[in-house]
Structure formats: structure tokens, C-alpha cells
Amino acid sequence: MEEFFEEEKQWNIMQLQKKSLLCILKLNASKAQANGHSVSFDKQLIWKVLIYDSYAKEVISPLIKIDKVHNYNITLFLDLESKREKIHNVAAIYLIKPCKESIGCVVRDLNNKLYDRIFVNFLSPCSDKLLEYFANECRRSNSQNTIAQVFSHYLNYSTITSRLFTLNIPDAYASFYRCHQLSENVDSYIDAVAEGLFMFLKTNTLYPFIRFHKHDIVAQKVATGLRKLYERAMREEDKIPELTLSKRPLLLLLNRSIDVHTMLHHPWKYISLVHDVFGIRGGRVEVEKKVYPCTCLLYTSPSPRDLSTSRMPSSACKKKKKKK
């Protein structure tokens, strides 16, 4: 029992997802070797550039720090949809969502011959139809030799802290329970939730027992989708994990309607206030100049009554002295 609580204390979902991301930055060397493939590349490809779409940006923002990533020879971070120039003798690492729009941008780069070798990484498993589309487009542009790797990962979720993550599905709760009826459009949200939970559990190598209330239709559909994803993954990998009962966690799927007031309460802290007013996404706050044209200085102190130890910018202190 003590060993179980010790493992629980050391478990950090942010570190586990970061480990998977660092594997991508190392050109998936460990995965390729595990699958019995060689990982010998051109020795001139020492430097790398990381190219990501808007979906991948939400995933990597809380995980990557520029000063740490330089240790892996990553020199540039580039947006997939931005206009980019040709760069030779570098390894271009793509981290994208498996969708036709993002794959189309990669094909456009291949046609323009922006990079000598590219390494394509999908945030989640890519369908056969999209892979076939990608292969046909590469064949048309005669650029299949430029592609060094194509890997699928289980990273389509964002970790906020060491114990908290989000699936980045906006307005999911309102879409589930709008007018207290489940429409056909909700099925796409349910599939996204099941897929996102599967990505998280797969990355953390968790195979839980799934439990839900028998009268909760949404939780039942999510659990069914989750089980199907596990069954398909086991068939594709052709192996069943050997797990004891003590090693399998319990996944509870609960209806948020039974505890609505918790979503409306938060600690009385500045970070909660900033999130309410501006919205925090991926650890970032974006403020439009047209809406908020002026700059507001925020002064804080260890205690609201302790004015002598308030932390104020030196420029503000000087202005205050001048007025006196």
C-alpha cells in the first residue's frame, strides 16, 4: 500500500506529456529503434526547425521553454499557416493535427521545396483516407524522398498543471445539455471527448475500469466510444497489456449538471479574474488594442493593508516622489 501512494505522489501528467514531446524533438529515435527501424540521417541535419499548426500550439505552449529546447538544436518555431522562406540543411519537424487543412499546408511546403528533409508528426492517429491523400499528393509533386518520417502520437490534449489537463473543446457543456436534448450534432462532441480521454490515458499508459451512472446518456456514449478505441488500439498493436487489478485505476464519468455551482466559483485570486475578463488559453492572455487601448499597472502586496511592502515598479515610485 505504501508503494502505491509513493507512485501516486510522483505521478506527473505534464512531465509524461513533455517526455513524449521531447521524443519528437529527437526525431523519434527511441520509437524507431523500438520498431526495429534504423535512425541514421544525414549528418548535415544538425539544426532543426519546429513547425506547428493552431491545434499543436495549444498542446506545446505549456510544455516548451525556449531556453530548454535549444539543447535539442531547435533554432526556430514557425507557424504552419504563416509565410515562410526556404531553409536548407535543417530537419523540419512538423507537429500537426491529422486534418486535410494541415496536411494541405505540408504538401504546399513540399511543392515549394522549403526544406531538404521533413519529419511529420500527427497529434493523434491519422485515418487511412487522409494518409492516402497525403501519399498521393507527395507522389504528384515527386517529393516523397523529402519525407524522412511519418509518426502518429497520442498528444491531442493540453496539460495545465501536474494534475490537471483539458481537451480544448470549447462550449462542450452547453452543447451537451442545450435545451435538455441530445441532438445529432452532439455526437461529434462525444467522439471528441472519448478520443481526447483515450489520448491522455494512452500517453500515461493507463488502462482503467470505466464506471458511469446508468441513466446518464452522455457518459454512457463516451464510455462506449472509449472502449472501442481501446479495442481497436489493442488489435492494431497485436498485444494485450498484462495488468493486475491493483495497477488499473478507476475512471468515473460524471454528469457536471449535478454540481453546477462549482463551475461558477473560483478562488479570489488575480489569475481567476484575468481568466474571467480576458480568457487564458495555453498559458497566454491575448488583449486586443482596439478594445483595451490603455495600459493598466497592477500593484500587488503580500497583505492588502501592508502598504509599505507593496511591490511597485521603480518608475512608478519615482513619479510619486516627484509629485511630492
Side-chain angles (χ1 to χ4, degrees):
M1 185 63 72
E2 292 180 0
E3 293 178 358
F4 173 79
F5 284 110
E6 190 65 28
E7 289 183 11
E8 183 79 8
K9 190 183 296 183
Q10 296 175 357
W11 191 51
N12 188 321
I13 62 175
M14 181 174 279
Q15 290 298 327
L16 290 171
Q17 190 183 28
K18 186 177 180 180
K19 183 180 178 181
S20 299
L21 180 61
L22 293 179
C23 178
I24 295 174
L25 301 184
K26 294 178 182 179
L27 305 180
N28 297 296
S30 58
K31 276 194 171 185
Q33 289 176 347
N35 294 331
H37 301 296
S38 61
V39 290
S40 57
F41 302 112
D42 192 346
K43 293 182 178 180
Q44 293 182 352
L45 300 178
I46 299 175
W47 305 107
K48 311 166 193 172
V49 295
L50 180 62
I51 305 161
Y52 49 82
D53 59 7
S54 58
Y55 302 97
K57 186 178 181 180
E58 298 294 332
V59 174
I60 65 179
S61 293
L63 302 174
I64 284 185
K65 291 185 178 180
I66 303 299
D67 55 339
K68 300 294 182 181
V69 175
H70 284 322
N71 298 332
Y72 300 91
N73 297 336
I74 305 293
T75 57
L76 289 174
F77 296 85
L78 303 173
D79 195 320
L80 180 67
E81 298 178 357
S82 64
K83 187 177 180 180
R84 288 168 278 115
E85 299 179 355
K86 292 184 179 181
I87 305 177
H88 296 291
N89 298 326
V90 298
I93 303 174
Y94 285 82
L95 185 60
I96 60 175
K97 182 180 179 179
C99 60
K100 197 168 184 178
E101 293 78 11
S102 295
I103 293 176
C105 291
V106 177
V107 172
R108 181 192 63 194
D109 292 350
L110 289 170
N111 291 331
N112 295 331
K113 298 181 180 180
L114 295 186
Y115 313 104
D116 296 331
R117 300 295 295 275
I118 71 170
F119 301 76
V120 181
N121 297 271
F122 294 113
L123 289 173
S124 58
C126 189
S127 65
D128 295 338
K129 186 177 180 180
L130 284 174
L131 284 175
E132 186 177 354
Y133 163 75
F134 188 31
N136 291 333
E137 292 296 322
C138 292
R139 195 181 300 112
R140 287 178 186 174
S141 60
N142 195 25
S143 57
Q144 58 268 28
N145 293 330
T146 307
I147 302 174
Q149 284 181 352
V150 177
F151 269 93
S152 293
H153 303 271
Y154 299 96
L155 296 173
N156 200 12
Y157 64 93
S158 299
T159 50
I160 301 174
T161 66
S162 61
R163 294 296 182 92
L164 183 64
F165 71 98
T166 177
L167 302 182
N168 289 326
I169 305 176
D171 301 325
Y173 179 81
S175 300
F176 283 152
Y177 301 104
R178 185 176 287 115
C179 299
H180 302 283
Q181 293 180 352
L182 293 178
S183 61
E184 294 180 358
N185 192 31
V186 173
D187 290 339
S188 60
Y189 280 91
I190 292 176
D191 293 339
V193 171
E195 182 181 340
L197 287 175
F198 176 71
M199 301 293 163
F200 168 77
L201 296 169
K202 188 70 174 173
T203 301
N204 293 272
T205 61
L206 298 174
Y207 298 86
F209 295 105
I210 304 173
R211 296 292 182 267
F212 55 90
H213 195 278
K214 61 181 180 180
H215 298 303
D216 192 343
I217 301 175
V218 174
Q220 184 179 358
K221 287 189 174 185
V222 170
T224 302
L226 196 53
R227 289 193 181 107
K228 288 180 179 179
L229 289 171
Y230 265 112
E231 291 172 0
R232 187 175 68 184
M234 290 180 183
R235 285 197 304 269
E236 293 176 353
E237 296 174 2
D238 195 23
K239 65 177 182 179
I240 300 176
E242 298 180 1
L243 297 171
T244 59
L245 293 178
S246 61
K247 292 293 183 180
R248 296 190 65 180
L250 177 64
L251 174 62
L252 293 176
L253 299 177
L254 301 176
N255 188 334
R256 200 58 173 158
S257 297
I258 65 176
D259 189 26
V260 179
H261 70 278
T262 302
M263 294 186 288
L264 305 177
H265 289 264
H266 54 66
W268 189 248
K269 295 182 179 179
Y270 285 120
I271 188 170
S272 303
L273 177 62
V274 170
H275 181 64
D276 286 346
V277 177
F278 301 108
I280 301 175
R281 290 183 62 85
R284 305 186 312 276
V285 177
E286 296 181 0
V287 182
E288 296 182 8
K289 292 183 179 179
K290 294 181 180 179
V291 181
Y292 303 98
C294 59
T295 302
C296 177
L297 294 177
L298 183 63
Y299 305 120
T300 63
S301 64
S303 173
R305 298 181 179 180
D306 189 4
L307 300 178
S308 61
T309 58
S310 62
R311 297 186 292 272
M312 299 177 63
S314 57
S315 58
C317 294
K318 290 178 181 179
K319 288 180 181 179
K320 194 172 182 180
K321 290 180 180 179
K322 288 180 180 179
K323 288 182 180 180
K324 288 182 178 180

